[in-house]
């Protein structure tokens, strides 16, 4: 399934929010959830950085600061993810670290959905958004495969949502 870049990115945001939510359950099997979350956060960020952000800057150089902020927030997210991965899920530090990561991801996603994605939709015609979406999805899937994650769960969630 391919779709436009805005739809695909929003769908990924929902999947990551869902995984962050599931990780709060202390009775859940957190290790595989955390592996899924880590792979998806990294794959999503890299696909945005390689396919989406440069396309925005190419047609709207005034967006450079916004895009650079987005990249810095991806690095911050990855740093907080590594902190979380270093902790035993049963340890007292796990929940505060999960909240910290969740806040950072939530804030970044909100900025993208309120500002970056509407700008993307404004800058590109529907056919170009479709091509950007396909490029984004190829890159994201390649990054996921490199981390041993297949995308069936994402497809299932998209079909459900
Ligand atoms: Fe992002
Ligand atoms: Fe995003």
């Amino acid at each position: 399934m391919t779709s436009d870049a805005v739809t695909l990115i929003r769908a990924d945001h929902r999947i990551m929010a869902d995984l962050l939510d599931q990780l709060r359950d202390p009775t859940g099997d957190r290790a595989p959830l955390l592996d899924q979350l880590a792979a998806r956060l990294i794959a999503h960020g890299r696909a945005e950085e390689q396919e989406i952000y440069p396309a925005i800057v190419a047609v709207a150089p005034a967006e450079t600061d916004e895009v650079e902020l987005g990249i810095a927030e991806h690095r911050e997210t990855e740093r907080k993810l590594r902190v979380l991965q270093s902790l035993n899920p049963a340890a007292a530090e796990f929940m505060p670290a999960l909240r910290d990561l969740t806040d950072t991801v939530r804030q970044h996603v909100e900025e993208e959905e309120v500002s970056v994605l509407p700008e993307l939709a404004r800058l590109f015609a529907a056919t170009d958004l479709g091509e950007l979406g396909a490029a984004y999805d190829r890159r994201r899937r390649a990054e996921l495969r490199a981390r041993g994650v297949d995308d069936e769960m994402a497809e299932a969630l998209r079909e459900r949502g």
Side-chain angles (χ1 to χ4, degrees), residues 8 62 64 104 118 131:
L8 290 173
T64 301
T104 299
E131 279 170 27

Side-chain angles (χ1 to χ4, degrees), residues 43 136-147:
Y136 162 85
D137 209 44
R138 268 197 305 277
R139 178 76 67 173
R140 188 186 61 85
R141 283 169 192 271
E143 293 282 348
L144 280 177
R145 274 197 303 277
R147 289 168 180 77

Side-chain angles (χ1 to χ4, degrees), residues 1 3 15 32-33 37-38 44 52 66 71 81 95 123 125 153:
M1 186 196 85
S3 190
I15 292 167
L33 286 171
L37 176 70
H44 176 84
I52 304 299
E66 179 79 28
I71 293 170
L81 186 61
M95 278 308 288
L123 291 168
M153 186 179 148

Side-chain angles (χ1 to χ4, degrees), residues 13 44-45 48 53 70 74 108 112:
H13 289 167
H44 176 84
E48 284 181 343
Y53 291 177
H74 288 175
H108 176 70
E112 281 189 350

